[in-house]
């Protein structure tokens, strides 16, 4: 039997802020964002369910660049439409995931879909940033459009673990990743208990998006908090004290410097300066 990952710390998230006019998000990694301690993960924004009035002008965030990492957008409610400088256009709805490799650099925009904005309604989503190792920071920009039906669902009591990346209970997630990463969308009903098994030595983060859980039979954790686990050990016991929505994130640390500046994440200041120059020179394309 493998040993528990122990709780290293529990972090409160700052208040929500707007990203463009479309997403009121909580930055759930707080001060740990972009720190080596949570490698390969960089940042997580969570937009809790919010009601939007019908509008002919879809809310969202206009053209901006990314380079050197991946963005993983999980939609819970509503529809998010993406357009980028490679010419790609995609729209994802409830349960769908867009796993975008910014790699060598692109420019994109993220809006509520035109149709969903016209209807109005509830929108909720997460966006996780996953770092790329130095050898893959120049990967060709592309994205994986992952539909709800492609994501294995492992029943847990009255709840479910949706395996987006990595493997849980013998089910393998559809996302292709550059380094070993687990991303599981965990939804539990009050009273459900499960053991999540990650890899010995890997980073493990458990943001609580909604509800309340008890971890390893010892600590109660409420919504908008992040549980950071030890790298040592492999298993995590989760019991839902209320209906709960969580993200289980595991990953092999990338043992390289992280230098982040806005939408660019590189290994050195020189590379950041180069990325800014490349963007200004139009080398990441335009919409
Ligand atoms: Mn973006």
């Amino acid at each position: 039997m493998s040993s528990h990952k122990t709780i290293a710390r529990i972090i409160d998230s700052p208040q929500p802020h707007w990203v463009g006019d479309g997403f009121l998000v909580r930055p759930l990694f707080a001060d740990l964002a972009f720190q080596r301690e949570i490698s390969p993960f960089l940042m997580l924004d969570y937009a809790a369910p919010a009601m939007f009035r019908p509008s002919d002008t879809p809310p969202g965030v206009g053209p901006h660049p990314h380079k050197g990492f991946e963005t993983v957008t999980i939609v819970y409610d509503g529809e998010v439409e993406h357009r980028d400088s490679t010419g790609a256009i995609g729209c994802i709805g409830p349960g769908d995931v867009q796993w975008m490799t910014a790699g060598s650099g692109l420019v994109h925009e993220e809006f509520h879909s035109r149709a969903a904005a016209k209807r109005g309604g509830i929108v909720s989503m997460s966006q996780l940033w996953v770092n790329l190792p130095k050898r893959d920071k120049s990967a060709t920009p592309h994205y994986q459009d992952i539909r709800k039906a492609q994501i294995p669902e492992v029943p847990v009591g009255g709840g479910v673990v949706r395996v987006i990346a990595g493997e849980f209970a013998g089910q393998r997630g559809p996302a292709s990743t550059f380094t070993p990463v687990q991303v599981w969308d965990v939804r539990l009903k009050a009273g459900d208990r499960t053991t999540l098994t990650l890899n010995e030595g890997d980073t493990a983060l458990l943001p609580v998006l909604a509800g309340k859980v008890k971890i390893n039979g010892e600590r109660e954790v409420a919504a908008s908090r992040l549980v950071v686990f030890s790298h040592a050990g492999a298993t995590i016991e989760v019991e839902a004290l209320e209906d709960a929505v969580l993200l289980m994130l595991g990953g092999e640390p990338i043992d390289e410097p992280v230098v982040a500046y806005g939408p660019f994440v590189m290994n050195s200041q020189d590379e950041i300066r180069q990325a800014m120059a490349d963007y200004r020179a139009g080398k990441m394309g335009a919409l």
Side-chain angles (χ1 to χ4, degrees):
M1 189 177 145
S2 49
S3 66
H4 277 162
K5 282 190 181 292
T6 58
I7 297 171
R9 40 182 161 159
I10 297 173
I11 293 180
D12 263 323
S13 80
Q15 288 304 303
H17 64 265
W18 283 95
V19 174
D21 62 358
F23 309 100
L24 181 62
V25 302
R26 273 185 191 271
L28 282 169
F29 292 175
D31 291 345
L32 272 183
F34 303 102
Q35 301 302 304
R36 272 178 92 158
E37 180 179 350
I38 61 164
S39 176
F41 303 107
L42 298 167
M43 192 225 52
L44 175 68
D45 276 344
Y46 171 60
M51 177 63 90
F52 287 81
R53 284 195 300 271
S55 169
D56 289 329
T57 314
V61 51
H64 59 278
H66 291 294
K67 178 180 169 70
F69 64 102
E70 300 185 292
T71 66
V72 180
T73 306
I74 305 169
V75 173
Y76 306 109
D77 296 291
E79 289 179 355
V80 175
E81 203 168 278
H82 153 106
R83 221 156 60 89
D84 71 41
S85 51
T86 71
I89 298 175
C91 180
I92 56 173
D96 299 338
V97 175
Q98 186 209 53
W99 195 296
M100 183 186 85
T101 303
S104 62
L106 53 55
V107 175
H108 79 161
E109 58 177 31
E110 299 155 279
F111 282 93
H112 299 195
S113 78
R114 190 159 285 279
K118 229 178 176 59
R119 286 193 300 270
I122 292 175
V123 174
S124 174
M125 52 84 79
S126 292
Q127 189 171 86
L128 171 71
W129 291 12
V130 182
N131 207 359
L132 288 169
K134 189 175 182 62
R135 64 169 187 274
D136 295 315
K137 282 193 182 292
S138 296
T140 304
H142 67 282
Y143 71 86
Q144 302 170 62
D145 186 82
I146 301 170
R147 297 288 146 176
K148 181 175 191 285
Q150 294 169 258
I151 300 172
E153 298 191 355
V154 179
V156 167
V160 68
V161 175
R162 299 198 320 130
V163 188
I164 297 166
E167 190 175 325
F168 175 71
Q171 298 287 319
R172 188 144 196 96
S176 157
T177 65
F178 285 83
T179 59
V181 169
Q182 295 85 45
V183 177
W184 305 337
D185 173 11
V186 180
R187 310 154 165 276
L188 301 175
K189 296 290 178 197
D192 287 346
R193 292 161 178 266
T194 186
T195 302
L196 303 174
T197 303
L198 295 120
N199 296 322
E200 176 76 41
D202 276 9
T203 297
L205 306 173
L206 188 74
V208 179
L209 307 185
K212 189 192 262 191
V213 291
K214 188 182 240 185
I215 302 298
N216 291 346
E218 54 172 358
R219 291 287 294 274
E220 292 188 7
V221 186
S224 305
R225 292 186 173 81
L226 172 73
V227 187
V228 182
F229 292 92
S230 62
H231 286 76
T235 58
I236 295 170
E237 303 289 337
V238 182
E239 177 188 357
L241 302 176
E242 302 169 358
D243 290 0
V245 181
L246 320 161
L247 271 179
M248 182 73 247
L249 308 174
E252 188 178 288
I254 298 169
D255 187 22
E256 295 173 1
V258 177
V259 182
Y261 184 82
F264 307 125
V265 182
M266 304 301 295
N267 299 115
S268 71
Q269 289 292 353
D270 275 353
E271 289 170 342
I272 291 289
R273 277 190 287 272
Q274 189 61 53
M276 290 168 70
D278 288 351
Y279 171 56
R280 281 194 298 261
K283 289 183 184 169
M284 295 181 190
L287 286 173

